[in-house]
């Protein structure tokens, strides 16, 4: 009887700990799922990859979302934070204020920059073809001083669709090559 009780207690504790972990992890995953849903509504010419893991020269990079189109490669870092968020482009850390308490977290622009480098090295493309984006869910009140794209989730789709110029000149290069060949 004691054995059954101890076994049930252990199972309960394992389930409780696993559930707490799922709830904790779930908050970040929830934000990523919301962004994935918005990205899934992009036109077919946009190719969406979620939860991308890259390993380059012994360093790993987990990227929330990568969208590849002829208009560029959009590298997206998702933050599901609430409260007031203060940060600047070059600061190492940003601060989240919740009910009067401040919590520091790594500057998501810098975090995303490491993802940009990983994409650049993997795809062998120039930085000018890559568009880094940090997106916050609507629970955040952003007070950020930055020239980088730090957006609310409701702005994401429109921002991506605002890029109209071809970032990759494959077709143009092929046409240019054909014209050059004809001239000679």
């Amino acid at each position: 009887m004691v054995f059954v009780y101890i076994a049930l207690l252990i199972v309960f504790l394992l389930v409780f700990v696993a559930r707490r972990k799922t709830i904790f992890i779930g908050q970040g995953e929830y934000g990523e799922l919301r962004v994935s849903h918005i990205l899934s509504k992009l036109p077919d010419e946009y190719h969406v990859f979620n939860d991308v893991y890259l390993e380059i020269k012994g360093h790993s990079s987990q990227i929330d979302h990568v969208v590849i189109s002829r208009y560029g490669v959009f590298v997206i870092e998702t933050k599901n934070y609430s409260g007031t968020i203060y940060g600047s482009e070059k600061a190492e850390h940003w601060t989240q204020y919740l009910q009067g308490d401040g919590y520091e977290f790594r500057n998501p622009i810098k975090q995303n920059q490491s993802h940009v480098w990983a994409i650049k090295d993997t795809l062998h493309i120039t930085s000018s073809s890559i568009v880094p984006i940090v997106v916050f869910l609507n629970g955040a009140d952003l007070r950020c001083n930055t020239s980088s794209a730090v957006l609310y989730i409701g702005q994401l789709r429109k921002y991506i669709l605002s890029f109209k110029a071809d970032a990759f000149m494959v077709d143009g290069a092929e046409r240019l090559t054909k014209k050059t060949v004809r001239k000679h």
Side-chain angles (χ1 to χ4, degrees):
M1 181 70 145
V2 173
F3 176 77
V4 172
Y5 175 76
I6 292 173
L8 287 173
L9 184 59
I10 290 171
V11 169
F12 174 78
L13 286 173
L14 290 173
V15 169
F16 179 76
V17 169
R19 264 186 143 219
R20 273 194 77 154
K21 187 175 182 183
T22 300
I23 290 168
F24 179 73
I25 291 172
Q27 182 179 358
E29 287 176 351
Y30 173 74
E32 291 176 22
L33 285 172
R34 295 243 346 250
V35 170
S36 294
H37 179 71
I38 287 172
L39 295 175
S40 73
K41 305 263 187 224
L42 289 168
D44 289 341
E45 66 183 315
Y46 293 84
H47 304 280
V48 178
F49 301 90
N50 298 301
D51 196 21
V52 176
Y53 181 84
L54 298 176
E55 193 164 326
I56 307 291
K57 300 174 188 168
H59 297 283
S60 63
S61 191
Q62 185 276 323
I63 307 168
D64 294 338
H65 315 278
V66 177
V67 178
I68 299 176
S69 76
R70 67 188 226 195
Y71 308 111
V73 176
F74 301 87
V75 180
I76 304 166
E77 176 64 26
T78 301
K79 294 298 180 193
N80 187 9
Y81 292 172
S82 56
T84 305
I85 308 294
Y86 290 93
S88 65
E89 190 97 25
K90 299 199 186 298
E92 285 301 316
H93 294 92
W94 286 15
T95 306
Q96 170 193 33
Y97 286 96
L98 278 172
Q99 301 172 347
D101 293 324
Y103 305 94
E104 284 192 346
F105 61 98
R106 185 171 176 213
N107 179 340
I109 295 171
K110 289 189 175 197
Q111 180 182 0
N112 207 27
Q113 189 59 46
S114 66
H115 300 158
V116 167
W117 290 327
I119 290 287
K120 182 179 167 230
D121 286 349
T122 300
L123 299 179
H124 305 291
I125 58 176
T126 64
S127 296
S128 63
S129 302
I130 302 174
V131 181
I133 303 170
V134 176
V135 62
F136 281 83
L137 271 65
N138 293 331
D141 176 16
L142 299 175
R143 310 261 175 109
C144 303
N145 181 15
T146 175
S147 60
S148 295
V150 178
L151 311 171
Y152 290 107
I153 192 170
Q155 300 170 308
L156 180 61
R157 185 174 186 278
K158 184 176 181 179
Y159 182 75
I160 291 172
L161 293 175
S162 73
F163 287 80
K164 302 288 186 198
D166 286 343
F168 305 103
M169 301 305 289
V170 175
D171 292 338
E174 287 175 358
R175 277 180 272 161
L176 181 61
T177 303
K178 289 177 184 175
K179 287 181 182 177
T180 305
V181 169
R182 280 190 217 144
K183 285 183 180 179
H184 294 307

Short mmCIF file of all heavy atoms in Angstrom, two decimals, residues 5 21-22 35 51 68 72 90 104 115 140-141 144 146 148 164 166-167 175 179:
data_model
loop_
_atom_site.label_atom_id
_atom_site.label_comp_id
_atom_site.label_asym_id
_atom_site.label_seq_id
_atom_site.Cartn_x
_atom_site.Cartn_y
_atom_site.Cartn_z
N TYR A 5 1.21 4.31 -2.90
CA TYR A 5 1.11 5.71 -2.53
C TYR A 5 2.33 6.49 -3.01
O TYR A 5 2.22 7.54 -3.61
CB TYR A 5 0.93 5.84 -1.01
CG TYR A 5 0.94 7.26 -0.52
CD1 TYR A 5 -0.17 8.08 -0.70
CD2 TYR A 5 2.06 7.81 0.08
CE1 TYR A 5 -0.17 9.39 -0.28
CE2 TYR A 5 2.08 9.11 0.51
CZ TYR A 5 0.96 9.90 0.33
OH TYR A 5 0.98 11.20 0.76
N LYS A 21 6.51 23.06 -16.61
CA LYS A 21 7.48 23.33 -17.68
C LYS A 21 6.75 23.63 -18.98
O LYS A 21 7.09 24.55 -19.69
CB LYS A 21 8.42 22.14 -17.85
CG LYS A 21 9.55 22.42 -18.82
CD LYS A 21 10.52 21.27 -18.86
CE LYS A 21 11.65 21.59 -19.81
NZ LYS A 21 12.58 20.51 -19.96
N THR A 22 5.71 22.89 -19.29
CA THR A 22 4.94 23.11 -20.50
C THR A 22 4.29 24.48 -20.48
O THR A 22 4.30 25.21 -21.46
CB THR A 22 3.86 22.02 -20.66
OG1 THR A 22 4.52 20.76 -20.72
CG2 THR A 22 3.06 22.23 -21.93
N VAL A 35 2.64 34.24 -34.47
CA VAL A 35 3.40 34.79 -35.61
C VAL A 35 3.35 33.82 -36.79
O VAL A 35 3.15 34.24 -37.93
CB VAL A 35 4.85 35.12 -35.19
CG1 VAL A 35 5.70 35.47 -36.40
CG2 VAL A 35 4.86 36.27 -34.18
N ASP A 51 10.87 27.83 -36.49
CA ASP A 51 11.75 27.12 -35.56
C ASP A 51 12.93 26.47 -36.30
O ASP A 51 13.10 25.26 -36.31
CB ASP A 51 10.95 26.07 -34.78
CG ASP A 51 11.70 25.60 -33.55
OD1 ASP A 51 12.61 26.32 -33.08
OD2 ASP A 51 11.38 24.51 -33.04
N ILE A 68 11.37 33.43 -46.84
CA ILE A 68 12.20 33.63 -48.03
C ILE A 68 11.28 34.00 -49.19
O ILE A 68 10.31 33.30 -49.47
CB ILE A 68 13.02 32.38 -48.37
CG1 ILE A 68 13.96 32.05 -47.19
CG2 ILE A 68 13.81 32.57 -49.66
CD1 ILE A 68 14.75 30.78 -47.36
N GLY A 72 13.50 39.32 -50.41
CA GLY A 72 14.48 39.23 -49.34
C GLY A 72 14.24 38.04 -48.44
O GLY A 72 13.25 37.31 -48.59
N LYS A 90 21.80 49.75 -29.46
CA LYS A 90 23.13 49.26 -29.10
C LYS A 90 23.25 48.72 -27.68
O LYS A 90 24.27 48.17 -27.31
CB LYS A 90 24.15 50.37 -29.32
CG LYS A 90 24.21 50.81 -30.77
CD LYS A 90 25.47 51.54 -31.10
CE LYS A 90 25.49 52.12 -32.48
NZ LYS A 90 25.40 51.24 -33.57
N GLU A 104 15.59 42.53 -16.78
CA GLU A 104 16.42 42.68 -17.97
C GLU A 104 16.35 41.43 -18.83
O GLU A 104 16.20 40.33 -18.33
CB GLU A 104 17.87 42.93 -17.56
CG GLU A 104 18.14 44.32 -17.07
CD GLU A 104 19.62 44.62 -16.94
OE1 GLU A 104 20.45 43.68 -16.99
OE2 GLU A 104 19.95 45.81 -16.81
N HIS A 115 21.36 35.59 -35.62
CA HIS A 115 20.59 34.75 -36.54
C HIS A 115 20.83 35.18 -37.99
O HIS A 115 20.93 34.34 -38.88
CB HIS A 115 19.10 34.85 -36.22
CG HIS A 115 18.76 34.40 -34.83
ND1 HIS A 115 17.62 34.80 -34.18
CD2 HIS A 115 19.41 33.61 -33.95
CE1 HIS A 115 17.59 34.27 -32.98
NE2 HIS A 115 18.67 33.55 -32.81
N ALA A 140 2.79 44.05 -25.02
CA ALA A 140 3.93 44.92 -24.71
C ALA A 140 3.63 46.36 -25.09
O ALA A 140 2.95 46.63 -26.08
CB ALA A 140 5.17 44.44 -25.46
N ASP A 141 4.14 47.26 -24.28
CA ASP A 141 4.09 48.69 -24.57
C ASP A 141 5.53 49.08 -24.91
O ASP A 141 6.36 49.25 -24.01
CB ASP A 141 3.57 49.46 -23.35
CG ASP A 141 3.60 50.97 -23.55
OD1 ASP A 141 3.74 51.43 -24.70
OD2 ASP A 141 3.50 51.69 -22.53
N CYS A 144 10.97 51.93 -27.34
CA CYS A 144 12.30 51.60 -27.83
C CYS A 144 12.83 52.69 -28.76
O CYS A 144 12.09 53.22 -29.57
CB CYS A 144 12.27 50.27 -28.57
SG CYS A 144 11.66 48.92 -27.56
N THR A 146 15.12 52.89 -31.61
CA THR A 146 15.83 52.05 -32.56
C THR A 146 15.43 52.38 -33.99
O THR A 146 14.30 52.79 -34.24
CB THR A 146 15.56 50.56 -32.25
OG1 THR A 146 16.17 49.78 -33.26
CG2 THR A 146 14.08 50.26 -32.21
N SER A 148 16.02 49.91 -36.22
CA SER A 148 15.72 48.56 -36.69
C SER A 148 14.23 48.30 -36.60
O SER A 148 13.51 48.97 -35.86
CB SER A 148 16.47 47.53 -35.84
OG SER A 148 17.85 47.66 -36.01
N LYS A 164 9.02 45.70 -52.01
CA LYS A 164 8.58 45.48 -53.39
C LYS A 164 9.72 45.26 -54.37
O LYS A 164 9.52 44.75 -55.46
CB LYS A 164 7.75 46.66 -53.88
CG LYS A 164 6.53 46.95 -53.03
CD LYS A 164 5.48 45.92 -53.21
CE LYS A 164 4.21 46.32 -52.47
NZ LYS A 164 3.34 45.20 -52.27
N ASP A 166 13.08 43.58 -55.93
CA ASP A 166 13.73 42.28 -55.92
C ASP A 166 15.05 42.37 -55.18
O ASP A 166 15.88 43.23 -55.48
CB ASP A 166 13.97 41.78 -57.33
CG ASP A 166 12.70 41.31 -58.02
OD1 ASP A 166 11.69 41.07 -57.31
OD2 ASP A 166 12.72 41.18 -59.25
N ALA A 167 15.25 41.46 -54.23
CA ALA A 167 16.51 41.41 -53.49
C ALA A 167 17.50 40.49 -54.18
O ALA A 167 18.69 40.60 -53.99
CB ALA A 167 16.27 40.94 -52.06
N ARG A 175 18.84 37.55 -67.77
CA ARG A 175 18.51 38.37 -68.94
C ARG A 175 19.70 39.21 -69.38
O ARG A 175 19.98 39.33 -70.56
CB ARG A 175 17.32 39.28 -68.63
CG ARG A 175 16.00 38.55 -68.82
CD ARG A 175 14.86 39.44 -68.52
NE ARG A 175 14.66 39.27 -67.08
CZ ARG A 175 14.02 40.08 -66.30
NH1 ARG A 175 13.49 41.17 -66.75
NH2 ARG A 175 13.88 39.84 -65.03
N LYS A 179 21.63 39.09 -73.01
CA LYS A 179 21.85 40.28 -73.85
C LYS A 179 23.31 40.44 -74.18
O LYS A 179 23.69 40.77 -75.30
CB LYS A 179 21.34 41.53 -73.13
CG LYS A 179 19.83 41.64 -73.08
CD LYS A 179 19.42 42.91 -72.38
CE LYS A 179 17.93 43.02 -72.29
NZ LYS A 179 17.50 44.21 -71.56
#
